Amino acid sequence: MPFVNIKITRDTVTADQKALLIQGVTNLLRDVLGKNPATTVVIIDEVDTDNWGIGGESVTKRRAAGK
Amino acid sequence: MPFVNIKITRDTVTADQKALLIQGVTNLLRDVLGKNPATTVVIIDEVDTDNWGIGGESVTKRRAAGK
Amino acid sequence: MPFVNIKITRDTVTADQKALLIQGVTNLLRDVLGKNPATTVVIIDEVDTDNWGIGGESVTKRRAAGK
Amino acid sequence: MPFVNIKITRDTVTADQKALLIQGVTNLLRDVLGKNPATTVVIIDEVDTDNWGIGGESVTKRRAAGK
Amino acid sequence: MPFVNIKITRDTVTADQKALLIQGVTNLLRDVLGKNPATTVVIIDEVDTDNWGIGGESVTKRRAAGK
Amino acid sequence: MPFVNIKITRDTVTADQKALLIQGVTNLLRDVLGKNPATTVVIIDEVDTDNWGIGGESVTKRRAAGK
């Protein structure tokens, strides 16, 4: 019954990669805590790089500056 | 002053249906807890089916498999 | 499969009131969008009034000021 | 290491305004709590006005009614 | 730079089990998407069973009923 | 009408410091986006250091190791 929310920047993430994240997190919760995969929910949020800040500046600016 | 976040898959949900969700949740909080509707905030997130996992696989795959 | 998060201030909310919120939101999603209650998840967060701000001040201070 | 999520309605918010929000919140956490800007994460969610409710109705409807 | 939030019911989860969740999710994001572990943040929320609903009733009630 | 959620580790944060965060974020949204302070909501979550991971390990372990 766990609920997992993964937030990543909106890059070229494929459906296959998302499927691997969903499967991997679900298996992890089964292995570590015995949680039932059938009721484990995983939601992936992809966030525009203008809308994601770290170090006081947006990821857009950081990437443009080669950080 | 409550804050409610509803996450659903991105399907053909209409503005009228969203309005019913907002009104219904707001009324529920008024009726059960006496919360003031004027300051009750409801946010609806629509999530792509590739980005929503349950049972270890995406909703996209589950629907394709007839689950 | 919807996921709902309700945030309210930590007051004397009873288990019965929480049960009414869970039931009410689940029924609402079934009635408006046809969502299956069996997989609808509702999580209630109770937040200390020091940690909840509106109008630029905490709920603790607002209540002390009779707002 | 703080994590901040800002939710606003999806209006014509510019990248520069988002940058000011990211910078401002990051500085605030440094000034008030001594948090290290290098590991402060800020995520801005822009929400459609149909999907944001207050007072029991959507922001779309409120604006159309001149509220 | 990913941010992951894991919500589970408040049971007897140990610090070691939490450490395994943190490590496992961080490694998963490195392996699938090449994300840098140094800036991957994981937050675990433990939720009282009165405050977690599924199927229209609280986990407290479901467990009492042997579900 | 913005909604802001600030997550920090559970340390000795005082009510006064929380009040400064609430006031500061509310003013920032007024100054940058013209948002009305009266309807700006800020929620602060304090997270146990066992439950907060970065770099693949909990903050508890990082602090014990002098990181």
Side-chain angles (χ1 to χ4, degrees):
Chain A
M1 207 167 32
F3 172 81
V4 181
N5 178 223
I6 300 173
K7 293 182 191 293
I8 51 177
T9 45
R10 193 187 304 283
D11 296 306
T12 54
V13 180
T14 66
D16 281 352
Q17 288 173 315
K18 293 174 188 174
L20 287 172
L21 292 179
I22 289 167
Q23 187 181 52
V25 171
T26 304
N27 289 349
L28 179 70
L29 283 156
R30 181 199 59 204
D31 294 347
V32 175
L33 296 179
K35 296 294 184 183
N36 182 3
T39 54
T40 296
V41 174
V42 182
I43 290 181
I44 301 167
D45 290 331
E46 296 172 276
V47 178
D48 289 344
T49 55
D50 278 353
N51 292 22
W52 192 304
I54 186 165
E57 57 188 357
S58 73
V59 172
T60 305
K61 285 190 183 168
R62 291 175 71 86
R63 289 185 179 170
K67 291 183 191 174
Chain B
M1 208 167 32
F3 172 82
V4 180
N5 179 224
I6 299 174
K7 293 183 190 293
I8 51 178
T9 45
R10 192 187 305 281
D11 297 307
T12 54
V13 180
T14 66
D16 282 351
Q17 287 173 316
K18 293 174 189 175
L20 288 172
L21 291 178
I22 289 167
Q23 187 182 52
V25 170
T26 304
N27 289 348
L28 180 70
L29 283 155
R30 182 200 59 202
D31 295 346
V32 175
L33 297 178
K35 296 293 185 184
N36 182 3
T39 55
T40 295
V41 174
V42 182
I43 290 180
I44 301 168
D45 291 331
E46 296 171 277
V47 178
D48 290 343
T49 55
D50 277 355
N51 291 23
W52 192 304
I54 185 165
E57 57 189 357
S58 73
V59 172
T60 305
K61 284 191 182 167
R62 291 174 71 85
R63 290 187 178 169
K67 292 183 189 175
Chain C
M1 206 168 30
F3 172 82
V4 180
N5 179 223
I6 299 173
K7 292 182 191 293
I8 50 178
T9 45
R10 191 186 307 281
D11 297 306
T12 53
V13 180
T14 66
D16 281 351
Q17 288 173 315
K18 293 174 188 175
L20 287 172
L21 291 178
I22 290 167
Q23 188 182 49
V25 170
T26 304
N27 288 349
L28 180 70
L29 283 155
R30 179 201 61 202
D31 295 347
V32 176
L33 296 178
K35 295 293 184 183
N36 182 3
T39 55
T40 295
V41 174
V42 182
I43 290 180
I44 300 168
D45 291 331
E46 296 172 276
V47 178
D48 290 342
T49 55
D50 277 354
N51 292 23
W52 192 304
I54 184 164
E57 57 190 355
S58 73
V59 173
T60 304
K61 285 189 183 170
R62 290 175 71 85
R63 290 186 179 170
K67 291 183 191 176
Chain D
M1 208 169 30
F3 172 82
V4 181
N5 178 223
I6 299 173
K7 293 182 191 293
I8 51 177
T9 45
R10 191 187 305 281
D11 297 306
T12 54
V13 180
T14 66
D16 281 352
Q17 288 173 315
K18 293 174 188 175
L20 287 172
L21 291 178
I22 290 167
Q23 189 182 49
V25 170
T26 304
N27 288 350
L28 180 70
L29 284 155
R30 180 200 61 203
D31 295 347
V32 175
L33 297 179
K35 297 293 184 183
N36 182 3
T39 55
T40 295
V41 174
V42 182
I43 290 180
I44 300 167
D45 291 330
E46 296 171 277
V47 177
D48 290 342
T49 55
D50 277 353
N51 292 20
W52 192 305
I54 185 165
E57 57 188 356
S58 73
V59 173
T60 305
K61 285 190 183 168
R62 292 174 71 84
R63 291 185 179 170
K67 292 183 191 175
Chain E
M1 208 167 31
F3 172 81
V4 181
N5 179 222
I6 299 174
K7 293 182 191 295
I8 51 177
T9 46
R10 193 187 305 280
D11 296 307
T12 54
V13 180
T14 67
D16 282 352
Q17 288 173 316
K18 293 174 188 175
L20 287 172
L21 292 179
I22 290 167
Q23 189 182 50
V25 170
T26 304
N27 288 349
L28 180 69
L29 283 156
R30 180 199 60 204
D31 295 347
V32 175
L33 297 179
K35 296 293 183 184
N36 181 4
T39 54
T40 296
V41 174
V42 182
I43 290 181
I44 301 169
D45 291 331
E46 296 171 276
V47 178
D48 290 343
T49 55
D50 277 354
N51 292 22
W52 191 305
I54 185 166
E57 58 189 356
S58 73
V59 172
T60 305
K61 285 191 182 167
R62 291 175 71 86
R63 289 185 179 171
K67 292 183 189 175
Chain F
M1 208 167 31
F3 172 83
V4 181
N5 178 224
I6 299 174
K7 294 182 191 293
I8 52 178
T9 45
R10 192 187 304 282
D11 297 307
T12 55
V13 180
T14 66
D16 281 351
Q17 288 173 315
K18 292 173 189 175
L20 288 172
L21 292 179
I22 290 167
Q23 188 181 51
V25 170
T26 304
N27 288 349
L28 180 70
L29 283 155
R30 179 199 61 202
D31 295 346
V32 175
L33 296 179
K35 296 293 185 184
N36 182 3
T39 53
T40 296
V41 175
V42 182
I43 290 180
I44 301 169
D45 291 330
E46 295 172 276
V47 178
D48 289 343
T49 55
D50 277 354
N51 292 23
W52 192 305
I54 185 165
E57 57 190 356
S58 73
V59 172
T60 305
K61 285 191 182 168
R62 292 175 71 85
R63 290 185 178 170
K67 291 182 192 177

